[in-house]
């Protein structure tokens, strides 16, 4: 049994979600290869070779793969798939974009967002916004799986796997890269942050989010938001934590003015320590919080920041 893990990267650095996906592959069992598809991505291949537990790294270096368009990466996966029993990718924007297209081309059912491995063909995945866990079994000879990174520890480094080149399929001609708008911040990226401070509808307006940012800077934290805050235009979409946003599991999650709608809880309830600050003592967020403050956030946050 052999497993192919699709590496997430930006042609310069390997993204942390790849390490969590490798851990899931180790739990399935078998020889593990990591596929790095990109352009001028030799540095990523070298970084991937240091992941413990993998057999080899396959590097497909081609200008057509520079932007990792799903229409170009999926055929590459298809061309390699016959050598594997499983193909894994992170269950984030990257994996969710590419793997379904590969599954369609291979005519197999994808198993999405797994959070536990029971055996080589049986997995656990959340349904109903995480309120129930489904145990699913795949009878497909080839299993394409996306992995919820927050449910698996990051694989350790220290390996020395060989790096091999593989041929890419070139440009499929089905899509063109137009542009990318990236928000720049000195703070950690949400999905990789150890500490996150999130604001909800209780922040009242985007003008009040600098108060959370000041607190986040004291803690070296990332800043997040509930969908209600994003939909109200308080902050950009890339702040959103939840079922339709980013799934996070930091060591400390501070929820400020967030009631705790089920969709938000689905994205952060695996956090190690949860602190809730809300004036409504009946807010659902308090049911999962390790620590809670019932009070006016506009008084509590400045006091907390000053103490820090």
């Amino acid at each position: 049994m052999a497993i192919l893990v699709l590496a997430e990267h930006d042609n310069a650095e390997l993204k942390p979600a790849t390490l969590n996906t490798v851990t899931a592959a180790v739990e399935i069992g078998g020889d593990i290869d990591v596929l790095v598809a990109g352009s001028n991505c030799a540095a990523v291949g070298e970084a991937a070779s240091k992941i413990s537990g993998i057999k080899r790294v396959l590097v497909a270096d081609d200008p057509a793969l520079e932007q990792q368009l799903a229409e170009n990466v999926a055929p590459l996966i298809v061309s390699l798939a016959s050598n594997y029993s499983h193909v894994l990718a992170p269950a984030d924007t990257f994996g969710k974009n590419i793997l379904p297209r590969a599954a369609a081309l291979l005519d197999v059912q994808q198993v999405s967002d797994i959070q536990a491995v029971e055996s080589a063909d049986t997995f656990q995945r959340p349904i109903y916004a995480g309120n129930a866990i489904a145990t699913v079994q795949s009878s497909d000879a080839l299993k394409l799986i996306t992995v919820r990174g927050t449910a698996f520890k990051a694989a350790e480094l220290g390996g020395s796997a060989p790096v091999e080149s593989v041929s890419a399929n070139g440009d499929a001609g089905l899509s063109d890269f137009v542009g990318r708008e990236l928000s720049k911040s000195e703070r950690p990226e949400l999905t990789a942050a150890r500490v996150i401070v999130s604001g909800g509808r209780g922040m009242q307006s985007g003008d009040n989010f600098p108060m959370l940012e000041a607190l986040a800077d004291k803690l070296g934290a990332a800043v997040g938001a509930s969908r209600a805050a994003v939909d109200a235009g308080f902050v950009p979409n890339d702040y959103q934590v939840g079922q339709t946003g980013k799934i996070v599991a930091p060591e400390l999650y501070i929820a400020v003015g967030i009631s705790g709608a089920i969709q938000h809880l689905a994205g952060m309830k695996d956090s190690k320590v949860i602190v809730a600050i809300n004036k409504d003592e009946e807010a659902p967020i308090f049911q999962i919080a390790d620590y809670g403050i019932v009070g006016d956030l506009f008084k509590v946050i400045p006091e907390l920041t000053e103490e820090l």
Side-chain angles (χ1 to χ4, degrees):
M1 186 163 62
I3 301 170
L4 181 66
V5 173
L6 182 61
E8 180 175 359
H9 62 92
D10 60 2
N11 291 311
E13 295 180 349
L14 191 68
K15 298 299 183 183
T18 306
L19 302 180
N20 305 90
T21 306
V22 168
T23 298
V26 170
E27 292 190 18
I28 293 172
D31 294 332
I32 301 169
D33 292 347
V34 173
L35 172 62
V36 176
S39 180
N40 296 319
C41 56
V44 180
E46 288 300 318
S49 71
K50 295 178 173 60
I51 303 174
S52 297
I54 67 170
K55 182 181 179 182
R56 59 179 179 167
V57 177
L58 306 179
V59 176
D61 196 324
D62 189 287
L65 299 173
E66 180 179 2
Q67 304 302 335
Q68 298 168 56
L69 299 176
E71 292 80 1
N72 293 340
V73 178
L76 172 63
I77 295 173
V78 172
S79 68
L80 298 170
S82 60
N83 299 319
Y84 299 96
S85 58
H86 299 71
V87 178
L88 274 60
D92 54 15
T93 305
F94 171 79
K96 290 177 179 178
N97 183 35
I98 295 172
L99 220 59
R101 177 174 286 272
L105 292 173
L106 290 163
D107 194 26
V108 298
Q109 297 184 74
Q110 178 177 309
V111 182
S112 301
D113 205 21
I114 68 164
Q115 65 177 36
V117 176
E118 291 195 0
S119 69
D121 65 357
T122 307
F123 313 93
Q124 293 182 8
R125 61 180 302 273
I127 58 175
Y128 303 128
N131 278 288
I133 305 299
T135 299
V136 296
Q137 185 175 36
S138 172
S139 59
D140 286 327
L142 174 63
K143 298 164 182 60
L144 270 65
I145 301 167
T146 56
V147 176
R148 177 172 290 207
T150 57
F152 297 89
K153 293 191 301 182
E156 296 182 356
L157 301 178
S160 57
V163 179
E164 301 177 11
S165 295
V166 295
S167 299
N169 295 61
D171 190 347
L174 298 173
S175 62
D176 293 310
F177 177 75
V178 176
R180 179 182 287 118
E181 295 183 14
L182 299 175
S183 58
K184 295 182 179 180
S185 173
E186 296 299 321
R187 301 185 187 90
E189 204 278 324
L190 261 177
T191 54
R194 292 177 58 249
V195 181
I196 296 175
V197 179
S198 279
R201 196 194 306 272
M203 295 301 297
Q204 297 183 2
S205 80
D207 294 337
N208 295 322
F209 262 79
M211 179 171 62
L212 290 192
E213 293 168 355
L215 173 60
D217 290 341
K218 289 283 187 181
L219 294 167
V223 177
S226 68
R227 178 171 179 170
V230 171
D231 286 350
F234 297 172
V235 289
N237 285 355
D238 58 347
Y239 280 51
Q240 186 176 326
V241 173
Q243 184 181 18
T244 54
K246 294 178 180 176
I247 308 293
V248 300
E251 294 179 22
L252 173 63
Y253 189 90
I254 302 177
V256 182
I258 294 175
S259 63
I262 186 174
Q263 290 85 357
H264 186 75
L265 301 186
M268 47 65 71
K269 64 181 181 181
D270 290 331
S271 304
K272 308 302 181 289
V273 176
I274 299 171
V275 176
I277 302 171
N278 200 298
K279 65 181 180 180
D280 178 11
E281 62 183 20
E282 300 297 327
I285 191 73
F286 288 120
Q287 296 176 15
I288 66 163
D290 298 286
Y291 301 94
I293 299 176
V294 178
D296 183 354
L297 67 88
F298 295 103
K299 293 181 180 179
V300 173
I301 296 302
E303 290 176 1
L304 177 56
T305 305
E306 185 177 348
E307 286 293 328
L308 290 169

